[in-house]
């Protein structure tokens, strides 16, 4: 099984830092960085608005718990957004490449 891990950060600098850590540790095969997103959310009962960066990490589903824990250790937020989306299907060649990069 394969998964996307959706992670928001404080900005591009933090996204790149986290991306490099996850790639070096072979926790993910590829990361896309969306430099700027506008987020509106509830925090302590108040509506907040913020500019953030978005990481979309591609990995094996069994690595998601490790990805989550690693991101939590290096992230600047108290409660970072780290969400898994399972990949049901896609390009077989691409999925096989992902697996080959992450299997020891």
């Amino acid at each position: 099984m394969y998964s996307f891990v959706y992670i928001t950060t404080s900005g591009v600098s933090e996204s790149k830092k986290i991306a490099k850590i996850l790639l070096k540790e072979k926790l993910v095969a590829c990361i896309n960085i969306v430099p700027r997103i506008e987020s509106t959310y509830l925090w302590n009962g108040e509506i907040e608005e913020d500019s953030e960066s978005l990481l979309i990490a591609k990995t094996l589903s069994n690595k998601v718990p490790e990805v989550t824990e690693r991101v939590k250790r290096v992230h600047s937020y108290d409660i970072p957004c780290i969400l898994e989306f399972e990949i049901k299907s896609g390009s077989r060649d691409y999925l096989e490449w992902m697996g080959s990069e992450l299997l020891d």
Side-chain angles (χ1 to χ4, degrees):
M1 287 277 246
Y2 305 91
S3 292
F4 290 119
V5 183
Y6 175 103
I7 305 161
T8 57
T9 70
S10 62
V12 174
S13 175
E14 184 171 35
S15 287
K16 287 181 179 181
K17 173 187 157 191
I18 291 171
K20 287 178 183 174
I21 289 168
L22 296 177
L23 288 163
K24 283 181 185 174
E25 296 179 12
K26 293 190 82 169
L27 295 174
V28 302
C30 176
I31 290 183
N32 301 114
I33 296 175
V34 180
R36 184 181 167 104
I37 60 172
E38 295 297 319
S39 298
T40 305
Y41 55 95
L42 290 172
W43 184 254
N44 295 323
E46 299 293 325
I47 296 174
E48 300 286 338
E49 294 181 356
D50 219 341
S51 293
E52 297 181 292
S53 180
L54 172 64
L55 285 158
I56 302 170
K58 299 163 203 164
T59 192
L60 298 171
S61 297
N62 64 2
K63 289 191 176 269
V64 172
E66 286 180 84
V67 170
T68 300
E69 287 309 308
R70 189 65 176 112
V71 170
K72 286 167 77 175
R73 286 196 308 271
V74 298
H75 206 290
S76 66
Y77 293 175
D78 293 335
I79 305 173
C81 174
I82 310 166
L83 304 172
E84 175 186 11
F85 296 90
E86 286 187 7
I87 299 169
K88 290 188 174 196
S89 65
S91 164
R92 179 61 34 207
D93 294 338
Y94 189 84
L95 295 173
E96 287 174 0
W97 164 78
M98 280 177 48
S100 72
E101 288 296 323
L102 297 174
L103 294 174
D104 295 328

